[in-house]
Amino acid sequence: MSDAIGTANRIAAEEIERQKQFCAEIRKLNEGRPGGLPLAYTQTYGCQQNVADSQRLMGMLQDMGCGFTQDPFEAGIIVINTCAIRENAEKKVFGVVGQLVHAKEKNPDLIICLCGCMAQQEVVAAKIKNSYRHVDMVFGPQALWKFPELLYGVYTDHKRTFSIADEHGAIAEGLPVVRESGVKAWVSVMYGCNNFCSYCIVPYVRGRERSREPSDVLAEVRSLAEAGYREITLLGQNVNSYGKDLDEPMDFADLLREIDKIPGDYLVRFMTSHPKDAGRKLFETMAECSHVAKQLHLPVQSGSSRVLKAMNRGYTREQYLEKVRMAREAMPEVVLTSDIIIGFPGETEAEAMETVSLIEEVRYDALFTFIYSPRPGTPAAKMPDPVSRGEKQVWFDRLLDAQNRISGELHRAYVGRTLRVLVDGESGDSAWPLSSRTAGGRLVHLQGDGSLIGRYIDVRITGSNTWALFGETL
Ligand code: 5AD
Ligand code: SF4
């Protein structure tokens, strides 16, 4: 492995080229199959980084000559990209993978691959090895770039393959990609995480922080803008750490400023910002860059300084509130969202209610809320956790009630306003067939036909509920 990595943990171009040759070899094998080229079925769980990873895997599958299907029983190859962030996500995947035994019984040539964060954990790989024998290949996020080589081994040696070495992680440029929409695109700016929040499994499964070179990020954004993409979301577990590991350090705000110079009719969003590293420079840069959406996802996790310390978050309630004040000073209309965990080990009712009071104080536009889920191997999983699930649920429901009321009130204040939105897809609801997003990322349901998809239009907001706005085209 080590000789495949060039400077700054970069996979050498020759190595990426070698992977392309494996794609070409697999394509040849596929073309020789009696049933014709196989179809691939991919399923993705978890965060946007996983969605972006799956788009790379699909790019490689396409280079291998595969088409795509939505039906696992029609597929010749199945790739399940998994999430490890909470136990529920893992349970769901084991259920789905268990069911695939029937697809394998129908088609013994079927190749089943499990990848992503869950697959990176040794306990999971061992369970798959012993109890899910119909799975042919398991590989973690760090091994994604060598998917073609691993798959070639399964094709030719007919042996089960497990690639979950505990690697620091590297950067692979130039992997092929299949983007599912011509409107929105994901661009990773960095990988991994160094923060080790005490509840979180991510640093253990996605390796250490590593930033892509600015020139690579800029080239990708430029090509997307030229291809007419309207919304480009920059991804990283903590984008505010961007650049710290580069030979010529550059911070995330400077990167945004460079991106902003790229011409085109597009908006840039990003996630996720860690409050300890986000500050005035970032907020002022966002305010000044016309391509950058005035939208900030700033996960607070808890409103109690004691719990924040136990979570190893690196800020207090007061310091967080000061960041929010600074963001609003720079961008008075900024749309703010956050992640919250209720029921961290040892959290008391009074501390959970401090979180409720914090959301009342900040008045977020929307929240992603979770009940704490112990992740084996993390420090929090070893902490005493005496509060029952039922009691945590009561606190959680209080949080949701408060947030639903706040979101409803904030949404109602949009009614009567005219806003520019990007029509981004069909909603599946015949009464309101189109979905669109404001510059701040709020969902607006619209009437109209599919020809509007991919266009920025002005709409008048005519109604609202807790989760969304309703508008009419002008
Ligand atoms: N339990 C519950 N929620 C978690 N998150 C991360 N780890 C856990 C866990 N063990 C939440 C955090 C994070 C979001 C992506 O998932 O709020 O910001
Ligand atoms: Fe997990 Fe914390 Fe890293 Fe986010 S910043 S991925 S919550 S360890």
Side-chain angles (χ1 to χ4, degrees):
M1 238 322 278
S2 59
D3 57 342
I5 298 180
T7 54
N9 274 349
R10 207 166 252 273
I11 309 292
E14 306 84 70
E15 187 56 38
I16 300 295
E17 198 43 51
R18 216 167 67 81
Q19 298 302 321
K20 289 197 174 139
Q21 283 160 16
F22 281 114
C23 287
E25 289 299 321
I26 295 175
R27 180 187 271 268
K28 271 193 233 150
L29 293 174
N30 279 338
E31 281 165 354
R33 281 153 69 117
L37 289 172
L39 295 174
Y41 169 85
T42 64
Q43 193 165 352
T44 308
Y45 295 90
C47 66
Q48 275 76 11
Q49 183 57 56
N50 262 14
V51 174
D53 285 350
S54 288
Q55 294 183 347
R56 298 286 164 183
L57 289 164
M58 288 171 77
M60 297 184 231
L61 287 162
Q62 195 172 55
D63 281 2
M64 296 169 194
C66 295
F68 295 98
T69 174
Q70 308 285 335
D71 177 3
F73 283 89
E74 226 181 52
I77 173 160
I78 293 180
V79 182
I80 310 283
N81 193 2
T82 63
C83 171
I85 201 109
R86 281 170 293 274
E87 195 185 0
N88 266 352
E90 293 199 348
K91 276 198 185 139
K92 208 186 291 172
V93 168
F94 277 121
V96 167
V97 174
Q99 286 301 312
L100 290 179
V101 77
H102 304 299
K104 187 90 164 194
E105 276 161 8
K106 262 190 88 183
N107 172 14
D109 289 334
L110 171 66
I111 292 179
I112 301 177
C113 309
L114 192 77
C115 63
C117 293
M118 184 178 156
Q120 180 68 44
Q121 300 169 92
E122 263 168 44
V123 279
V124 172
K127 187 164 166 182
I128 297 286
K129 200 175 248 175
N130 299 326
S131 310
Y132 294 75
R133 302 197 60 80
H134 56 292
V135 175
D136 300 282
M137 187 159 115
V138 174
F139 61 103
Q142 271 77 275
L144 179 131
W145 60 275
K146 48 183 170 175
F147 172 56
E149 182 174 359
L150 297 173
L151 189 61
Y152 185 76
V154 174
Y155 260 71
T156 51
D157 297 344
H158 307 285
K159 274 206 217 113
R160 300 177 80 201
T161 299
F162 290 78
S163 181
I164 58 152
D166 185 12
E167 287 162 14
H168 185 280
I171 292 192
E173 292 293 345
L175 299 179
V177 59
V178 170
R179 299 194 196 267
E180 274 151 84
S181 118
V183 182
K184 294 180 175 196
W186 311 108
V187 173
S188 302
V189 300
M190 59 181 302
Y191 305 94
C193 182
N194 289 356
N195 288 314
F196 289 94
C197 300
S198 61
Y199 50 80
C200 185
I201 193 76
V202 169
Y204 304 89
V205 291
R206 282 202 172 267
R208 295 292 67 72
E209 283 175 0
R210 51 219 188 264
S211 307
R212 291 177 70 196
E213 285 293 332
S215 55
D216 291 325
V217 175
L218 291 169
E220 188 172 348
V221 173
R222 188 170 294 112
S223 74
L224 290 167
E226 280 169 4
Y229 281 84
R230 298 279 179 243
E231 209 177 274
I232 297 168
T233 304
L234 310 178
L235 297 178
Q237 244 69 48
N238 173 14
V239 292
N240 307 113
S241 284
Y242 176 80
K244 285 183 184 160
D245 56 326
L246 292 172
D247 290 341
E248 282 179 50
M250 174 189 219
D251 70 15
F252 184 65
D254 292 334
L255 180 71
L256 280 183
R257 218 175 264 286
E258 288 304 308
I259 290 174
D260 192 50
K261 292 179 190 158
I262 296 172
D265 197 5
Y266 66 92
L267 268 185
V268 174
R269 306 185 192 281
F270 57 87
M271 64 193 311
T272 293
S273 287
H274 194 306
K276 79 178 162 55
D277 301 317
R280 194 180 299 278
K281 179 174 175 189
L282 173 69
F283 306 146
E284 286 176 356
T285 305
M286 289 173 71
E288 285 163 23
C289 292
S290 60
H291 284 117
V292 177
K294 311 309 173 229
Q295 175 194 12
L296 193 60
H297 183 60
L298 199 63
V300 65
Q301 312 296 0
S302 167
S304 150
S305 294
R306 200 223 33 103
V307 174
L308 287 168
K309 190 156 196 295
M311 288 177 162
N312 191 30
R313 289 291 289 175
Y315 53 86
T316 61
R317 174 188 176 105
E318 290 68 33
Q319 285 165 336
Y320 180 88
L321 289 171
E322 176 57 16
K323 296 277 165 98
V324 169
R325 196 197 57 73
M326 256 194 252
R328 286 192 166 140
E329 186 178 66
M331 298 172 283
E333 289 237 305
V334 67
V335 167
L336 266 181
T337 56
S338 197
D339 294 345
I340 293 217
I341 298 175
I342 286 285
F344 182 81
E347 183 175 64
T348 63
E349 179 173 359
E351 287 165 343
M353 293 310 111
E354 281 187 69
T355 303
V356 178
S357 93
L358 180 128
I359 70 140
E360 298 273 9
E361 195 167 336
V362 175
R363 291 178 66 78
Y364 293 103
D365 292 81
L367 280 186
F368 300 88
T369 48
F370 311 101
I371 292 186
Y372 169 75
S373 166
R375 303 287 58 221
T378 60
K382 298 184 198 87
M383 297 177 187
D385 190 2
V387 176
S388 71
R389 170 80 195 197
E391 201 167 343
K392 291 182 183 184
Q393 188 69 48
V394 171
W395 304 346
F396 186 77
D397 290 345
R398 271 191 241 163
L399 175 79
L400 280 196
D401 284 349
Q403 183 56 40
N404 288 345
R405 179 175 41 72
I406 294 165
S407 293
E409 286 166 7
L410 293 176
H411 281 164
R412 220 166 300 132
Y414 282 92
V415 175
R417 287 180 64 185
T418 297
L419 297 173
R420 187 170 187 249
V421 298
L422 171 66
V423 185
D424 60 4
E426 285 171 8
S427 67
D429 171 353
S430 56
W432 297 92
L434 293 179
S435 71
S436 68
R437 295 266 167 190
T438 67
R442 306 316 301 140
L443 176 62
V444 184
H445 295 296
L446 295 176
Q447 286 158 346
D449 62 75
S451 66
L452 291 175
I453 293 172
R455 283 176 49 192
Y456 284 107
I457 57 170
D458 286 332
V459 299
R460 207 172 69 85
I461 304 300
T462 53
S464 73
N465 62 23
T466 310
W467 300 280
L469 308 171
F470 298 84
E472 60 185 25
T473 52
L474 294 176

